[in-house]
Amino acid sequence: MSHILIVEDEAIIRTALRKLLERHKYRVSEAGSVREATGKYRLSDVDLIISDLRLPGAPGTDLLKVAGDVPVLIMTSYASLRSAVDSMRMGAADYIAKPFDHDEMIATVRRVIGKAEQNRAANKAGPAASRTIAGMIGSSPVMRELYARIHKVAPTDATVLVHGETGTGKELVARAIHEESRRAGKPLISVNCAAIPDTLIEAELFGHEKGAFTGAQTAREGLVAAADGGTLFLDEIGELPLEAQARLLRVLQEGEVRPIGAIESRKVDVRLVAATHRNLRQLASERKFREDLYYRINVVQMTLAPLRERGKDVLAIAEHLLEKFCAKVGRPILKLSPEAIQAVTTYTWPGNVRELENAIQRAVILTEDNCSEIDHKTLDIDLDLVPVDEADPERRPRSLHSDPREDLSLEDYFARFVLEHQDTMSETELAKKLGVSRKCLWERRQKLGIPRKKSRRTAAEA
């Protein structure tokens, strides 16, 4: 059972969160301030800290300085997006906007605790897990695990099969394996099997003799022979025709290649790194890929995670690309606006790094010369950055007069707080206590059907 510490000065919100988390089998402790949290609990004993950004005495971000390896989830309002981004830069595991719903909170908690467990597992893997790879960006658990496997496998001659979606950077893995191997001084030959017509792929890979087919006016060495002593990277190997697969199998089994039209074979010493986004086992069962070749190349498998599963790596890659493209067009380094950062880190990037690269390059080109920031509109990512739930305007809050410890939703607690304090607090004070903007408070009033009372205080404020 994971242990979670809630640091929130509003008892009404603490109660809601505690009930919610306990219902999902988490052990929960509570504190009303950073000082109480650090004085009452040993932070290293908890698995997650959920803290409001605005707290009496010291902000929730001060917990980042003393939490050590314990992840901190910061709660903030939509109006405090820049503060939320700053919290992420300071080391917060994630942030969640208030007011939030149950599903959003539980999903975020599970994700953050899961990532922390992966981090601990990666740290136990030894020093190799923390060593990065030149040319590859990212420190997420999935990337550290990949680095560790590359460091271990690269010095051998084992054939490697890299799985990954299109655009994840599988060629970077092949290059890293080559550069950390004893073959680093020899060529790395990269071939995209999907980009060469079936009628030419065999001649390109294995070479041909003069007159072997129409148009073969001279003998030509193939790419396999060109990689002799080095590494051959076959991207999208699942697209290789069956005839070419048979020739490749001979290269791997016998260490020799015979050009088209030749009588004698030539010895070659080639290490193969293959990559695919397809399920080769399934293709083999459907007889679209040679089963013997599949077992021959499936010696060591590596998986390159899609961008959406790499957490903060997305922002690090985006900022690296931003610097790269600014230098390329000769303009001062631009920054991503808070809204652009939210867009980059929220979007699922189905095209992975390649799509991110295109978006950043486009934004650098289109951003006006007098601007120092890239906004989310220039990124042109189709996202609703500040989602507001579409709900029935006639909806009324439930159980407004029940005991505060009852099992109410966070929205009910929001409504209760407004009803109980609107006679003694101004709209500005209400919004501040709830951690939202006045505009957001007004929108929530409309949604929940709680009209603003025109008391003397509100009339004076107006």
Side-chain angles (χ1 to χ4, degrees), residues 33-35 51-62:
S33 65
V34 172
R35 183 175 182 178
S51 175
D52 192 13
L53 183 62
R54 298 173 181 173
L55 291 168
T61 49
D62 276 15

Side-chain angles (χ1 to χ4, degrees), residues 158-164 169-175 177-178 187-196 200-207 222-227 230-252 257 270-278 280 289 293-294 296-298 300 302:
T159 301
V160 178
L161 179 59
V162 183
H163 287 279
K170 296 186 285 292
E171 187 170 354
L172 292 176
V173 175
R175 187 170 298 280
I177 292 171
H178 174 73
L188 167 65
I189 303 296
S190 299
V191 183
N192 187 337
C193 299
I196 304 175
L200 298 177
I201 188 70
E202 285 189 75
E204 287 289 322
L205 284 177
F206 309 108
L223 296 174
V224 172
T231 304
L232 176 67
F233 173 56
L234 295 182
D235 195 8
E236 300 301 348
I237 194 172
E239 310 301 324
L240 201 61
L242 291 171
E243 296 81 1
Q245 291 179 30
R247 287 180 176 270
L248 179 61
L249 183 63
R250 182 170 181 81
V251 172
L252 298 177
V257 59
V270 172
R271 192 221 188 131
L272 177 67
V273 178
T276 183
H277 74 282
R278 305 182 68 181
L280 293 188
F289 195 87
L293 178 59
Y294 169 69
R296 186 63 184 80
I297 65 175
N298 189 32
V300 177
M302 294 187 185

Side-chain angles (χ1 to χ4, degrees), residues 419-438:
L419 288 171
E420 289 182 353
H421 295 89
Q422 63 181 353
D423 292 333
T424 57
M425 289 184 181
S426 67
E427 289 295 285
T428 301
E429 289 169 335
L430 276 174
K432 186 176 181 181
K433 282 290 186 181
L434 289 167
V436 299
S437 66
R438 283 188 51 159

Side-chain angles (χ1 to χ4, degrees), residues 88-89 92-94 111 115 118-119 122 129-133 135-147 168 172 303-322 336 341 343-349 352-354 356-357 360:
M88 294 284 284
R89 292 185 183 279
D94 208 336
R111 183 174 65 250
K115 285 182 180 179
Q118 289 178 338
N119 280 339
S130 61
R131 289 168 51 203
T132 58
I133 300 286
M136 299 183 73
I137 299 170
S139 57
S140 59
V142 290
M143 291 305 291
R144 287 206 300 271
E145 185 179 341
L146 178 66
Y147 298 155
T168 49
L172 292 176
T303 301
L304 193 51
L307 206 52
R308 62 183 173 274
E309 295 178 7
R310 291 177 55 183
K312 297 179 191 175
D313 289 354
V314 180
L315 184 56
I317 295 170
E319 290 178 336
H320 168 78
L321 292 171
L322 190 55
L336 294 171
I341 289 174
V344 166
T345 55
T346 304
Y347 185 52
T348 56
W349 298 109
N352 293 295
V353 178
R354 191 173 296 128
L356 174 60
E357 187 173 18
I360 296 295

Side-chain angles (χ1 to χ4, degrees), residues 95-152:
Y95 71 89
I96 188 167
K98 294 193 304 184
F100 42 79
D101 61 30
H102 291 186
D103 292 340
E104 180 186 11
M105 174 59 79
I106 292 302
T108 304
V109 166
R110 285 174 178 162
R111 183 174 65 250
V112 171
I113 290 179
K115 285 182 180 179
E117 289 173 350
Q118 289 178 338
N119 280 339
R120 287 191 287 270
N123 291 335
K124 289 178 182 178
S130 61
R131 289 168 51 203
T132 58
I133 300 286
M136 299 183 73
I137 299 170
S139 57
S140 59
V142 290
M143 291 305 291
R144 287 206 300 271
E145 185 179 341
L146 178 66
Y147 298 155
R149 181 159 283 207
I150 289 173
H151 295 316
K152 193 168 187 178

Side-chain angles (χ1 to χ4, degrees), residues 358-413:
N358 291 341
I360 296 295
Q361 184 177 18
R362 177 175 62 246
V364 169
I365 293 171
L366 296 179
T367 298
E368 298 295 336
D369 292 340
N370 59 348
C371 293
S372 61
E373 282 189 340
I374 289 177
D375 60 28
H376 66 281
K377 293 180 181 177
T378 311
L379 276 175
D380 195 21
I381 299 173
D382 187 16
L383 277 180
D384 183 7
L385 296 182
V386 184
V388 177
D389 296 336
E390 295 293 327
D392 183 356
E394 297 300 319
R395 181 181 173 186
R396 295 294 187 271
R398 303 182 305 267
S399 310
L400 293 179
H401 303 292
S402 57
D403 187 87
R405 286 177 296 235
E406 287 184 7
D407 186 19
L408 303 178
S409 73
L410 291 174
E411 206 161 64
D412 292 333
Y413 281 107

Side-chain angles (χ1 to χ4, degrees), residues 4 21 30 51 80 83 92 100 254 263 306 451 454:
I4 298 175
L21 294 169
E30 301 177 39
S51 175
S80 303
S83 297
F100 42 79
E254 308 297 335
I263 298 174
K454 290 290 183 180

